[in-house]
Amino acid sequence: MKQTGSMESRIRKMEAWDERQYMLNENYEVYEKDGEPVGAAALHYHNFYEIIYVLEGEFTSLAEDKIYLLHRGDFLLINRNVMHKYHPVEKKQISSKRIILWITDGMLERLGEGEMNLAACFKGEGARVCHFPVYYEELLRGYLLKLAMSHVLDREQPGTKQAMDRGYLILFFTYLNALCHVGEYFSTEGLSGNPLVEQVSAYIDSHIEEPISLELLANQVHMSKYYFLRKFKEMTGVTVHTFLTNKRLIRACQELRKGLSITQVWQSCGFADYSSFLRNFKAAYGVAPGRYLDFYPEGAAIRQAEHVPTER
């Protein structure tokens, strides 16, 4: 039987310049990216999990205040609401090829069917790098490649791809979670701090409920205001103001999921008033704060237990 195309031609791809950081599918997406990922050059975050697997070459990522250098076969696991970006290193990522997996907490809960916590591999804040023995790496890579295949089979048998993907996802995350229990598989090679971002991030975390001016942050790192603004933008790809606002929003999401009222949340996260909080929250997440919990499996339980109002 003559093949209609090679496996390479059937892999779903996202162009390296594509800036999209939201899912078109409500549950999960898997695709391949080749070359230097110039479309992911600014700090961003999302309310779903992300896994980056390096197929070829190297890849460097800044997550929160740490820089991760990934080699072929490495997995980078990024938790929800973690600020991260591609970190350019001269001539390092031109030949890089990666598989990207985005998946929601709700999808992982449904796959686990109440028996397994398939999101456990993302536990802790920030990101983590894993490097597994060859057998397990090839096993996981195979599942990712199958998930990244386009819907060729659905042309003849509609729904086949969806059913197969569900099986591959269960197998992938079951193995991944089992392997993540083994501490020796976590890699610290190429992991380094970014002193400027680290210092600014730590100060914001400690004073997030307070007004924080650009002048104050510049003083904390012993720089003039304008040199600080320029240097920070060079390192992170975003302005200090955007970084500060994102930190406040990430904390707000955490507080909402703890059961705090919306009024308590915006006040404890340092927003000047509710209208400012609402405007920034909707711009970042596409929904009002009162609807944010609807996107999480535990949302209804939190509302019932803590009597969280559905404010707009």
Side-chain angles (χ1 to χ4, degrees), residues 172-193:
F172 176 83
F173 279 100
T174 299
Y175 275 108
L176 182 63
N177 276 277
L179 291 167
C180 282
H181 282 295
V182 183
E184 66 186 76
Y185 296 153
F186 294 110
S187 172
T188 57
E189 182 183 357
L191 173 63
S192 63

Side-chain angles (χ1 to χ4, degrees), residues 28-30 49-54 73-77 99-103 108 111 116-119 121-122 130 132 136-148 164-180:
Y28 65 93
E29 285 187 21
V30 189
Y49 301 110
E50 179 172 5
I51 293 177
I52 300 174
Y53 169 71
V54 182
D74 284 343
F75 292 81
L76 178 63
L77 280 58
I99 295 289
I100 311 295
L101 167 61
W102 289 342
I103 191 163
L108 286 177
L111 291 172
M116 297 181 291
N117 178 15
L118 295 181
C121 55
F122 297 98
C130 303
F132 304 121
Y136 292 112
E137 181 219 325
E138 291 182 349
L139 191 70
L140 294 174
R141 179 178 64 202
Y143 294 139
L144 285 177
L145 288 171
K146 289 179 174 68
L147 285 162
M164 293 177 70
D165 277 4
R166 183 180 177 85
Y168 295 140
L169 284 167
I170 291 172
L171 289 167
F172 176 83
F173 279 100
T174 299
Y175 275 108
L176 182 63
N177 276 277
L179 291 167
C180 282

Side-chain angles (χ1 to χ4, degrees), residues 249-269:
L249 288 171
I250 289 170
R251 178 69 66 84
C253 292
Q254 295 169 349
E255 299 300 288
L256 281 171
R257 293 173 64 196
K258 289 178 182 177
L260 272 66
S261 72
I262 293 178
T263 300
Q264 290 174 313
V265 168
W266 71 259
Q267 291 177 343
S268 66
C269 294

Side-chain angles (χ1 to χ4, degrees), residues 37 40-44 46 50-52 54 58-71 75-78 82-89 92-93 96 98 100 126-129 189-194 235-236:
L43 277 173
H44 57 275
H46 27 67
E50 179 172 5
I51 293 177
I52 300 174
V54 182
E58 297 180 345
F59 180 77
T60 309
S61 178
L62 172 67
E64 292 290 357
D65 51 22
K66 291 184 173 60
I67 297 170
Y68 299 84
L69 174 60
L70 282 70
H71 304 281
F75 292 81
L76 178 63
L77 280 58
I78 304 174
V82 169
M83 284 198 284
H84 59 283
K85 66 182 283 292
Y86 154 64
H87 185 75
V89 177
K92 281 284 187 181
Q93 275 112 61
S96 174
R98 310 160 297 288
I100 311 295
R128 59 206 311 203
V129 177
E189 182 183 357
L191 173 63
S192 63
N194 185 313
M235 291 182 173
T236 65

Side-chain angles (χ1 to χ4, degrees), residues 218-241:
N219 289 336
Q220 289 296 316
V221 295
H222 309 293
M223 294 180 179
S224 70
K225 175 183 173 181
Y226 295 106
Y227 179 74
F228 166 61
L229 294 177
R230 179 167 59 82
K231 195 70 177 176
F232 193 90
K233 178 70 179 294
E234 287 177 1
M235 291 182 173
T236 65
V238 298
T239 65
V240 178
H241 176 74

